[in-house]
Amino acid sequence: MKRVFAVMLASCCWWNIACAQNTTILSGRVLDAQNNPVAGAQLYYYPNIVVAWLGLPEGSFAHTTTDERGRYRFVGVVPPSTLSAVVAFHPTLGCSTVRMGSRPSLTLRLQSLQEFTGKVVNAEGRGIEGALVQLNYVMLQGDEVMLPPPVPPFATTTSADGSFRLPMHPKTSAVGILCSASGYAPSLDIRSTNAEKLTKEGLVITLKPGARITARLVYADNGEPCKHYPVLVEPWTHVTTDEDGRITADVPTDSFALMPGASLSSPTLVPPGFFFPLEVTDLKPGTITDLGVIKVYTEPKITIEVRDDKNKPVPFCGVTIHPEGRRAAGVRFPYFTDSKGSLTIALPDGEYQLDASGPASGDGYYMSHSLPKVSIQQGKMTTPQPVVLKVALTRVQRAQEVQLRVRTSRNEVPKNIWTNLLPEPMDEVEGTWRPYRMEGDKLTIQLGRDRLERLLIVDYGTQEGTLLRNISAQNAPKTVRLQPLPKVRGRVLDETGKAVAGAKVSLIFGQESQFELSNGSTQRMWTEHLPPISTNTDRTGGFVLPLVPESRCWAVVTAKGYEPAVTTVNTGQTVTIRLRRANGEYAGVLVDDYGEPIGKVNLLLQYEFPDSRTAQNYRQRRVPTRAISLGKVTSDDNGRFSLKAMPSPLMLTPRMKNLTLTPIRVKPSTDIVLTLGAARPPWDRGDGASPKPNVEKLLRRVEWLQPVQWEGKNTLLVFTAPYLAQNQWLLQAIRQQMREGWQVAIVLDTASRQEAERYRRMEQLDVPVGFWKRSPQQPATPALPLILPAMPYVVHIGPDGQPARQGISMEELRQIIGMLQ
């Protein structure tokens, strides 16, 4: 699944490249969230977004820094394309994002980030020290992507226990993390997740035992070494040969492939020469295998032209070369036509299949008519040149608006319209449904396709509705008349046969819709909806519930002190539903990243029916697969909550501002600890300048190797960042401050007393050294702000032991660090 997702994601990027052969100048501005110019921001230019996925080193990209007015300037880069990107990063203000499918914006706005923790372990679950962990990308909710530059804090190494920290965006929906360590197979870990889950659970990356390969690349015509030649080691490792043409790489032991990589100095990304992709299998863990000499061919050269249906050249179109007789799985890196729709590349003897795809001007993209094959024998092409690839244009349809006049059966204006086009709210269902867009009696809907197979419109005030079929912008009815919905009757009884009065009976309905794909085929998809249609049982346990026509409908019954129950219902049917007593008891506390209780937080209560996720239920649809709401509970001032007579298991969803709502599944227990990521970064923003941590809370998380007494006004407390363990600048600054009579204390980024003691002895630090406490109530180390990459966070402590001032002013940078201008 990860491989499929990665290939699909990369393919999306490859389609949207557009390069030119002439260099250009790019200039723009970097702004913060308040539209203020940002000085000192670092900028990186990606000629093709796909190279961001390969974990290339910092020196591979053009990069610069903004001036005092927040302006930047790139000279000598290829012109921007549909999915090239300019990325800005500032250590305290965050990173910019890229909107998929659009040309790079030259005015970049920074978005603040937060941190999550993770751990790299081996197959036995032991932490791996010194592993390189790089955040390759972060997908946001929507069509935006964050492409972090390959610098700290987006690239880091693991500590002695294998732990690491990486930044993330508050609206994270998926992350891609490249991880490598000596003796292990590299891993591209792709996960669909969110900020809340990453904050609470962290991320565990397991590396498999690997092998190491070496090889030497030489040019086939003269035997000279291929210097600085790019090589792609599948999966997702990009290495470059040295001066002697040699490469060394850690690889998987099962199978992998070596293939030509991408040359960022070439506008078409074609490297100087081509070699036939080499496949390797069945290596033994811990071994070093020399693959020998690999010949790189610069002749013969094949010219490929990409043309559309009107025989016009297609510039900047991706061309992928698939060697025949090789396994189809894996990535074959694409190259790109120039501004005249032509691509020239050298290929050795062999059979090749060619594929072309790329963006079209406007709303469309090109796809190959067919996949032609070419053959090269004894250094000669067997087919005439140029090889012409024909592509067809597929238009991306724009969303169309359709306006309907909606009236009830009594010709009244409906007040509470609901349609199944609405995104479902993350909060409780009751009372939160809103019109799709209603002005008077006019309902405006958007059609993403030419035709909508079915559209359900319900007024849950009158419990009337209608089902429209095959709606398009051309045949949409001007007036829609709602009619009373069909009904089902029933009774709700307990285990002894007594009527349960006041039970809530809600409707869930499911439907299978047909979608037309871009290639002309169709796909069917099952969806379930929880409309705002419900009723309560009367004194005898009876109820009448409206149904949605032509759908699979369930009646869901919830009552205090009972397990929820569900049954399938049909029009005209009379059903009896029995409830069982619920005995689940839950009690616990909500704590933040500091381990301190969070009071007055709403916990949404949800429940999933047993076996709802089984394959048999997916086939037979006995119970709904979606969760149902059971109300909410609010933590007290001390962060504690308790529940009795609840079903088991239960899903608890904290509802906090700026916190993604993710259910946490728990079993009955009176000792639950829910660790929530802070609703905002764990430092307060003061006057809009640099972020400030809550030092008072941070110090409560610190355990010292020796007692600490704050004395004098020149007291300096240094919180280190993960990648500062061997930072000589920091050690020089500490020793310099001590010589000047300052009292210095340092908090290392570790939760291990042994590691803190070892570090102090190794560096001969005659200063108080602290480390982070960790307990069930404090499972995560706190997130710390950064001033600059590879810089500590410094706090000045006053005579009373309270933080008098936080951070480093620009005037103090030179004094404290001594090496920054």
Side-chain angles (χ1 to χ4, degrees):
M1 181 64 185
K2 294 181 182 178
R3 174 70 57 79
V4 173
F5 179 73
V7 172
M8 291 177 62
L9 188 58
S11 298
C12 177
C13 295
W14 296 337
W15 287 348
N16 291 275
I17 183 70
C19 296
Q21 292 184 346
N22 297 322
T23 58
T24 188
I25 297 175
L26 295 180
S27 61
R29 302 179 68 202
V30 177
L31 308 176
D32 61 15
Q34 289 75 37
N35 288 329
N36 300 315
V38 177
Q42 304 173 36
L43 287 102
Y44 297 84
Y45 178 70
Y46 292 83
N48 182 350
I49 286 182
V50 70
V51 300
W53 274 257
L54 300 179
L56 298 177
E58 176 185 2
S60 301
F61 308 103
H63 56 91
T64 186
T65 307
T66 55
D67 60 18
E68 295 179 353
R69 296 181 297 172
R71 297 189 178 277
Y72 67 89
R73 178 183 173 93
F74 284 102
V75 179
V77 297
V78 295
S81 64
T82 310
L83 271 184
S84 58
V86 181
V87 177
F89 161 63
H90 189 274
T92 60
L93 300 179
C95 191
S96 64
T97 59
V98 176
R99 187 170 295 277
M100 301 287 283
S102 61
R103 285 184 174 272
S105 174
L106 299 181
T107 299
L108 306 176
R109 286 176 172 79
L110 301 178
Q111 302 187 35
S112 59
L113 307 177
Q114 58 193 80
E115 281 189 333
F116 72 94
T117 59
K119 193 171 185 179
V120 180
V121 299
N122 58 19
E124 290 75 34
R126 293 193 294 268
I128 300 176
E129 182 179 7
L132 177 63
V133 185
Q134 180 174 326
L135 188 66
N136 280 34
Y137 68 90
V138 176
M139 296 191 70
L140 278 57
Q141 301 162 7
D143 56 356
E144 284 187 290
V145 174
M146 189 177 79
L147 300 176
V151 296
F154 305 109
T156 184
T157 56
T158 56
S159 61
D161 64 349
S163 61
F164 65 87
R165 288 184 179 181
L166 287 175
M168 65 174 168
H169 195 281
K171 295 183 180 180
T172 295
S173 64
V175 296
I177 299 176
L178 186 65
C179 183
S180 60
S182 179
Y184 294 90
S187 166
L188 178 63
D189 197 288
I190 298 174
R191 302 201 185 183
S192 296
T193 184
N194 54 48
E196 180 193 21
K197 190 172 183 179
L198 284 173
T199 301
K200 289 179 174 53
E201 303 177 5
L203 191 66
V204 177
I205 300 175
T206 302
L207 295 185
K208 297 179 180 179
R212 180 166 292 183
I213 59 100
T214 61
R216 185 167 186 261
L217 278 67
V218 301
Y219 288 109
D221 56 343
N222 56 21
E224 292 292 323
C226 299
K227 301 178 182 180
H228 311 300
Y229 183 93
V231 179
L232 181 62
V233 184
E234 182 199 14
W236 304 101
T237 303
H238 205 269
V239 295
T240 305
T241 58
D242 61 15
E243 293 291 332
D244 195 35
R246 296 187 180 275
I247 61 168
T248 301
D250 291 297
V251 296
T253 56
D254 48 3
S255 63
F256 67 94
L258 259 66
M259 64 195 77
S263 173
L264 298 186
S265 61
S266 166
T268 59
L269 301 188
V270 174
F274 195 89
F275 66 88
F276 209 76
L278 179 66
E279 297 172 85
V280 183
T281 59
D282 300 328
L283 295 180
K284 292 184 178 180
T287 60
I288 300 178
T289 302
D290 187 4
L291 302 180
V293 175
I294 299 175
K295 293 183 178 182
V296 176
Y297 292 81
T298 57
E299 295 290 342
K301 292 185 177 179
I302 172 177
T303 299
I304 301 169
E305 292 184 357
V306 179
R307 297 183 175 273
D308 61 14
D309 291 330
K310 298 180 180 179
N311 206 36
K312 291 184 178 180
V314 180
F316 321 129
C317 188
V319 177
T320 308
I321 300 171
H322 302 271
E324 286 290 294
R326 305 285 164 150
R327 59 196 177 109
V331 177
R332 297 295 180 261
F333 201 89
Y335 306 108
F336 299 89
T337 58
D338 58 20
S339 59
K340 298 180 181 180
S342 179
L343 168 68
T344 300
I345 188 169
L347 295 177
D349 285 2
E351 305 285 333
Y352 302 90
Q353 189 177 60
L354 306 179
D355 187 12
S357 60
S361 57
D363 300 319
Y365 60 91
Y366 291 106
M367 293 294 291
S368 288
H369 268 311
S370 61
L371 301 179
K373 296 180 181 181
V374 298
S375 176
I376 301 176
Q377 298 177 6
Q378 298 180 353
K380 294 183 179 180
M381 283 280 299
T382 60
T383 54
Q385 292 199 62
V387 178
V388 177
L389 301 182
K390 289 286 190 177
V391 291
L393 177 62
T394 301
R395 290 291 180 188
V396 177
Q397 299 171 352
R398 289 182 175 273
Q400 301 181 70
E401 287 192 348
V402 173
Q403 195 171 70
L404 309 175
R405 183 172 180 264
V406 182
R407 291 277 179 161
T408 68
S409 60
R410 299 183 178 181
N411 201 32
E412 297 174 346
V413 177
K415 297 180 180 180
N416 298 301
I417 281 291
W418 173 81
T419 80
N420 61 334
L421 286 181
L422 274 171
E424 298 191 7
M426 299 296 292
D427 202 343
E428 303 94 333
V429 172
E430 293 77 14
T432 60
W433 292 99
R434 295 292 182 267
Y436 186 74
R437 199 166 90 207
M438 197 78 177
E439 298 176 0
D441 62 351
K442 297 294 193 302
L443 174 68
T444 302
I445 62 173
Q446 288 185 338
L447 302 178
R449 301 176 297 277
D450 286 337
R451 180 180 61 86
L452 190 64
E453 183 182 5
R454 52 191 288 168
L455 172 65
L456 174 67
I457 303 175
V458 173
D459 176 13
Y460 67 88
T462 61
Q463 295 192 346
E464 294 185 340
T466 187
L467 181 64
L468 304 178
R469 291 189 172 277
N470 299 321
I471 300 297
S472 69
Q474 292 73 33
N475 68 355
K478 294 182 178 179
T479 302
V480 175
R481 188 77 67 181
L482 305 181
Q483 299 297 329
L485 295 172
K487 303 289 194 300
V488 63
R489 299 178 182 275
R491 291 190 68 201
V492 178
L493 308 176
D494 63 12
E495 294 172 294
T496 64
K498 286 186 177 181
V500 180
K504 182 179 178 180
V505 186
S506 303
L507 174 70
I508 292 181
F509 76 91
Q511 62 183 17
E512 190 175 51
S513 301
Q514 180 171 294
F515 297 92
E516 184 174 343
L517 304 179
S518 58
N519 59 6
S521 62
T522 58
Q523 178 179 339
R524 304 199 68 82
M525 180 180 296
W526 176 266
T527 56
E528 292 177 5
H529 305 271
L530 180 58
I533 296 178
S534 63
T535 186
N536 294 316
T537 56
D538 59 21
R539 231 180 282 187
T540 64
F543 68 88
V544 179
L545 187 70
L547 302 181
V548 174
E550 302 181 34
S551 300
R552 180 82 161 182
C553 294
W554 292 277
V556 177
V557 182
T558 56
K560 188 175 182 180
Y562 292 92
E563 296 271 351
V566 63
T567 186
T568 306
V569 289
N570 297 298
T571 302
Q573 184 182 16
T574 301
V575 297
T576 300
I577 304 174
R578 295 186 179 274
L579 302 182
R580 293 187 297 108
R581 286 284 178 182
N583 300 313
E585 183 176 354
Y586 302 83
V589 61
L590 279 68
V591 297
D592 62 14
D593 290 331
Y594 300 102
E596 301 205 354
I598 307 176
K600 303 302 181 184
V601 173
N602 287 335
L603 280 172
L604 308 183
L605 311 179
Q606 291 180 300
Y607 176 80
E608 278 187 349
F609 290 100
D611 302 326
S612 64
R613 298 293 179 177
T614 62
Q616 183 179 12
N617 187 57
Y618 277 102
R619 291 191 301 268
Q620 299 179 358
R621 309 292 181 190
R622 293 181 178 179
V623 297
T625 59
R626 61 162 299 145
I628 61 172
S629 172
L630 297 181
K632 65 182 179 181
V633 64
T634 304
S635 63
D636 63 17
D637 292 335
N638 297 317
R640 297 206 162 268
F641 65 92
S642 62
L643 298 164
K644 292 186 178 180
M646 297 296 292
S648 173
L650 199 62
M651 292 190 296
L652 307 179
T653 307
R655 185 169 183 262
M656 296 175 61
K657 186 179 180 181
N658 298 330
L659 190 66
T660 303
L661 301 184
T662 301
I664 304 170
R665 190 184 300 272
V666 294
K667 294 182 179 180
S669 172
T670 57
D671 191 25
I672 299 173
V673 178
L674 299 181
T675 304
L676 308 182
R680 54 179 173 76
W683 53 82
D684 299 320
R685 287 190 177 274
D687 56 359
S690 60
K692 300 186 298 183
N694 189 325
V695 178
E696 192 175 339
K697 282 189 176 183
L698 284 174
L699 290 179
R700 289 202 290 267
R701 291 294 311 275
V702 175
E703 186 170 340
W704 297 98
L705 294 175
Q706 60 195 59
V708 177
Q709 293 181 350
W710 306 114
E711 299 175 355
K713 61 181 179 180
N714 292 335
T715 303
L716 198 65
L717 176 67
V718 181
F719 295 104
T720 68
Y723 47 85
L724 287 177
Q726 305 297 329
N727 191 296
Q728 295 300 315
W729 287 1
L730 172 61
L731 299 177
Q732 292 175 18
I734 291 175
R735 294 187 174 104
Q736 177 65 28
Q737 297 304 113
M738 292 176 64
R739 286 193 293 268
E740 295 180 5
W742 287 52
Q743 181 186 1
V744 177
I746 180 172
V747 180
L748 300 177
D749 188 55
T750 177
S752 168
R753 173 181 288 272
Q754 293 77 9
E755 184 178 351
E757 185 66 51
R758 178 180 62 84
Y759 182 75
R760 185 178 67 163
R761 288 197 306 267
M762 179 180 65
E763 299 298 343
Q764 299 179 351
L765 291 175
D766 190 19
V767 299
V769 174
F771 56 95
W772 301 116
K773 296 176 183 177
R774 185 171 289 181
S775 67
Q777 287 74 32
Q778 300 171 335
T781 56
L784 294 175
L786 304 175
I787 298 201
L788 290 174
M791 285 280 293
Y793 194 90
V794 177
V795 180
H796 299 266
I797 304 295
D800 58 355
Q802 299 298 319
R805 190 158 48 86
Q806 305 171 46
I808 305 176
S809 67
M810 293 301 293
E811 293 76 15
E812 293 172 307
L813 280 176
R814 189 179 298 106
Q815 174 189 358
I816 294 178
I817 300 304
M819 298 184 67
L820 294 181
Q821 298 300 319

